[in-house]
Amino acid sequence: MACARGDRQALQQLYQRESRYLLGVALRIVRQRQQAEDVLHDAFISIWQRAETFNPARGEGRGWIYSVVRNAALNMVRSGARQVDVSEDAAEAIDDQAALAAYATAADPFELRADLGRLEGCLGGLEPARRDCILYAYVEGCSHGEIAERLQTPLGTVKAWIQRGMRALRECMA
Amino acid sequence: MSSGTASSGFGNFEDIDALAGEYVLGTLSANARAAVEARMRDEPALRDAVQAWEARLLPLASLAPPADPSPALWSRIERTLGSVAAAAAAAPKAGQPARASGFASWWNNLQLWRGLAAGGFAAAALMVAVLVTRPAPTPQYMVVLVAPQDKSPGWVIQTTSSRQLSLVPLGTIEVPPQKTLQFWTKADQWRGPVSLGLVKQGQTLRIPIDKLPPLEPNQLFELTLEPENGSPIDRPTGPIQFIGRAVKVL
C-alpha cells in the first residue's frame, strides 16, 4: 500500500476513493451520522499510524481498511454509545412459538443484490433465519439481544443459529 | 498463561475459530472484544483465524449503502494527523523526523513553553502539540499526555468540535489484566481531581463538553492505573501512567 511509505497524499486518495463506502459501513452500524463520522476519523488516524506495520502479504489492503472501520464502529456501539439493547433476560422471555410464527411472516430484510461472489452461494445455502442473524450482526452491528428482539426469537435460539450458521459458512467456503 | 486467563470470560467458545468468527461478526460484548484483541497480540493462531473470517465476510460490507461524508471530515482528519505527527516529533526517544515540514515553527514558539513552565508541575514531562496550519474559529485546547518515566507521548486530547472532548490513543497501550486506565482532570483552583471515566484499550474516549466545567488553561489531565471497575473512591488510587496540561490553541 502506498501509505505504508508515510505518504499523506496516498491517504487522501484512499479517503477520496473509499470514504463514502466506509462511512456507509460505519453508519449502518452506529446509526448516527456524527458518530459514524467520528468512527471514520478515528479509523483513518489508526490506518495512518499502523500503515507502516501493515503487511500486505497478510491480506488485501482494502479488506484491512474495512476491518479497521468496522472494529471502530463495533467498539463504539458495544461500549454503550448506542443505547438500544434489550436486556438479555427480557429477550430470553419472549415466547418461542409466537416468535417463530412472527418470524415466518416477516418480509426478508436483506436482498442479496450486491455481488458477493462465493459467499453469496454459501449464504444462500443457509436456512433464511440463520442467514439473517449473520447479516443483522455483520451489516447492522446488532448484538445477540438486538437480533432476538428483531426476530422475536429467544436469545438462546439466536445464539445457536449464529453458531451453526457460521460453522456452515466456514465449511462451505473452505 | 495469558490465554488461560483471557479466555475464562467467554468459556462458551470451544475453538478459537468460533470465537474469531463471532469477533468479526460483531456479536461479542465490549469486554469479550477487548479480550480477543488482547489475545490476538500473543496468539498468532487467533490472529490468523480472525483474518480468515474478515476475508470471508468482507463482501457483506458492500450491502451497506454508501454515504457521503461531510466536507469538513477530511480537514478534521488532517488536523489530527498534524497533531499526531507533532507529538511523534516531540518524543525524545523517537529518533524519526517529523513527517511534515513546518513543525519547527511551533516547537520554537516561546509562548508555548512559557505556558508550560507556569504549571510548575514536572514541566519536563509536558509536551504540547499545536495545530498551526488551521486557525480555529473558537479557542480550543490541546493536551498531549506523556508517560512520566520516559516522556513518550501516549494520548492526545482534543476539543474536536465545540461540543466534545476526545482522548485519542497514539498507539497501543498495554494494561495489566484486571486493571483499567481511568481518566482524571483537575484545574488549578479545584479541590481535587474529577473522574472523566474509564478508558477502553485502543479506543478514543469522547466526553460531551457540556458535562464538564469550562476548560481552563493549564488544567491537569492524567490517566491512572486503577482496578478493573475504576477507582473505588472519588480520587485516583493507582500510579500515573500518562499526564499533561491543557494549552489554549488560538
Side-chain angles (χ1 to χ4, degrees):
Chain A
M1 262 176 51
C3 71
R5 291 192 297 273
D7 183 351
R8 184 81 62 91
Q9 213 175 7
L11 190 76
Q12 187 167 9
Q13 280 165 5
L14 178 74
Y15 180 88
Q16 281 162 355
R17 199 176 66 232
E18 300 285 345
S19 61
R20 58 193 305 263
Y21 303 105
L22 293 168
L23 186 66
V25 166
L27 189 58
R28 200 74 189 261
I29 293 173
V30 303
R31 320 265 169 89
Q32 284 177 21
R33 212 181 157 86
Q34 185 55 51
Q35 287 190 350
E37 295 209 349
D38 287 346
V39 163
L40 209 58
H41 167 271
D42 294 357
F44 266 83
I45 303 306
S46 182
I47 287 164
W48 173 257
Q49 288 171 329
R50 287 155 60 190
E52 285 175 26
T53 58
F54 170 67
N55 177 3
R58 282 208 313 255
E60 212 182 322
R62 190 162 181 264
W64 175 65
I65 288 155
Y66 277 80
S67 296
V68 171
V69 169
R70 282 194 73 249
N71 285 333
L74 287 166
N75 285 339
M76 184 179 273
V77 295
R78 287 293 165 268
S79 56
R82 191 183 77 197
Q83 302 287 359
V84 290
D85 276 288
V86 287
S87 86
E88 299 229 324
D89 288 345
E92 207 108 48
I94 294 171
D95 176 63
D96 200 352
Q97 293 305 314
L100 283 173
Y103 176 71
T105 58
D108 188 346
F110 288 100
E111 250 183 279
L112 294 182
R113 57 196 176 282
D115 178 19
L116 304 182
R118 183 132 154 258
L119 181 59
E120 185 168 5
C122 292
L123 277 172
L126 295 183
E127 284 171 35
R130 291 182 191 174
R131 194 196 72 186
D132 286 348
C133 287
I134 287 170
L135 292 173
Y136 274 134
Y138 188 93
V139 183
E140 311 246 341
C142 290
S143 64
H144 288 129
E146 287 172 312
I147 297 170
E149 191 186 35
R150 283 201 190 191
L151 298 183
Q152 295 286 293
T153 299
L155 185 62
T157 310
V158 165
K159 286 183 177 171
W161 279 349
I162 288 177
Q163 276 169 21
R164 285 181 214 136
M166 292 289 277
R167 215 176 299 142
L169 270 190
R170 187 186 54 186
E171 282 161 19
C172 175
M173 297 186 74
Chain B
M1 285 284 290
S2 65
S3 63
T5 48
S7 61
S8 60
F10 31 86
N12 299 349
F13 294 94
E14 285 164 13
D15 59 292
I16 61 166
D17 195 80
L19 177 63
E22 297 239 11
Y23 171 76
V24 173
L25 197 57
T27 44
L28 298 183
S29 68
N31 286 342
R33 288 186 63 78
V36 169
E37 283 162 9
R39 277 179 66 183
M40 268 163 53
R41 283 182 222 123
D42 304 322
E43 292 181 45
L46 180 59
R47 202 158 55 221
D48 290 349
V50 165
Q51 281 170 358
W53 272 113
E54 283 173 347
R56 266 179 217 128
L57 298 180
L58 178 64
L60 293 181
S62 65
L63 291 175
D68 286 311
S70 65
L73 183 57
W74 173 252
S75 359
R76 191 180 143 204
I77 290 169
E78 274 195 310
R79 256 193 339 258
T80 305
L81 289 176
S83 60
V84 167
K93 65 167 189 179
Q96 65 201 43
R99 271 181 171 135
S101 58
F103 292 117
S105 54
W106 69 259
W107 189 237
N108 294 324
N109 186 329
L110 271 179
Q111 218 166 5
L112 273 175
W113 290 108
R114 217 175 300 144
L116 282 179
F121 177 91
L126 306 178
M127 247 151 284
V128 174
V130 178
L131 314 167
V132 286
T133 49
R134 228 166 276 273
T138 51
Q140 294 193 353
Y141 288 90
M142 185 76 202
V143 191
V144 176
L145 301 184
V146 303
Q149 298 83 17
D150 63 3
K151 321 289 186 276
S152 57
W155 305 78
V156 181
I157 300 173
Q158 286 184 299
T159 47
T160 46
S161 70
S162 54
R163 289 170 292 110
Q164 72 179 3
L165 175 150
S166 308
L167 175 67
V168 185
L170 296 178
T172 309
I173 314 288
E174 298 285 347
V175 178
Q178 272 86 55
K179 293 284 183 183
T180 190
L181 289 177
Q182 190 160 1
F183 188 31
W184 305 87
T185 186
K186 181 187 172 306
D188 284 344
Q189 306 305 316
W190 298 3
R191 280 172 42 216
V194 171
S195 172
L196 298 178
L198 304 181
V199 177
K200 299 260 170 20
Q201 219 162 328
Q203 244 179 285
T204 297
L205 179 69
R206 296 179 195 285
I207 301 156
I209 281 181
D210 53 17
K211 296 201 177 136
L212 303 175
L215 290 185
E216 297 175 18
N218 211 38
Q219 186 164 338
L220 180 70
F221 289 87
E222 63 184 28
L223 290 163
T224 61
L225 197 61
E226 301 290 344
E228 206 165 8
N229 296 316
S231 166
I233 54 176
D234 211 14
R235 60 174 188 276
T237 60
I240 293 171
Q241 304 293 298
F242 295 95
I243 189 157
R245 281 183 191 272
V247 167
K248 198 188 246 182
V249 183
L250 297 178

